[in-house]
Amino acid sequence: MEKDEKEYFIVTDENGKDIKCEIIMTFDSEEFDRSYVVYQVAGDESGEVFAAAYDPESGEEGKLMQIETEAEWEFVEEVLESYLEDEEEAEAAE
C-alpha cells in the first residue's frame, strides 16, 4: 500500500453505530494459519491502535475475530513493532 493510499473499512459496534476505521497494515501468519488487520478509528488523534484476525476469503462483508492467545498477541505486536521501525527508517531517509 502506498503511503498516500489509505484504506478503510466500517465496523458496526454493539449499538449499531458504524465506525470508519483506517487500515494500518494487514499480514498473514503461517504459524497461526490466520490473517490479521491492524487499524485505528479514522480521525482519532489518540493514536490508539487495534488488531483483529479476519478471513480474507469472506468478501466485503468480512467479520473481525478476536485474537485469542497470548502467543498470537505477541506475534502481532512483534510484526507491528517491526513495521513501525521500518516506517520510521523510511521517513528518516527521505
Side-chain angles (χ1 to χ4, degrees):
M1 177 169 33
E2 291 291 321
K3 191 172 192 171
D4 295 335
E5 294 180 30
K6 296 181 179 181
E7 293 186 46
Y8 299 91
F9 64 94
I10 303 296
V11 173
T12 304
D13 71 10
E14 61 275 357
N15 298 321
K17 180 181 176 191
D18 287 343
I19 301 168
K20 184 177 180 181
C21 298
E22 179 183 338
I23 297 173
I24 297 170
M25 67 182 298
T26 60
F27 56 96
D28 300 317
S29 168
E30 289 182 17
E31 179 182 351
F32 297 105
D33 193 31
R34 293 179 94 175
S35 296
Y36 299 92
V37 60
V38 178
Y39 63 96
Q40 64 188 72
V41 175
D44 183 4
E45 300 298 322
S46 72
E48 188 171 9
V49 175
F50 304 92
Y54 73 100
D55 179 2
E57 304 298 318
S58 64
E60 287 188 27
E61 294 296 320
K63 179 179 177 185
L64 298 179
M65 297 168 279
Q66 291 185 343
I67 297 172
E68 299 172 352
T69 67
E70 189 65 33
E72 265 187 294
W73 273 115
E74 289 174 7
F75 170 75
V76 170
E77 288 171 357
E78 287 175 16
V79 171
L80 180 58
E81 286 174 16
S82 177
Y83 172 81
L84 294 175
E85 287 173 8
D86 290 347
E87 287 288 302
E88 287 177 13
E89 289 174 10
E91 286 178 12
E94 290 180 358

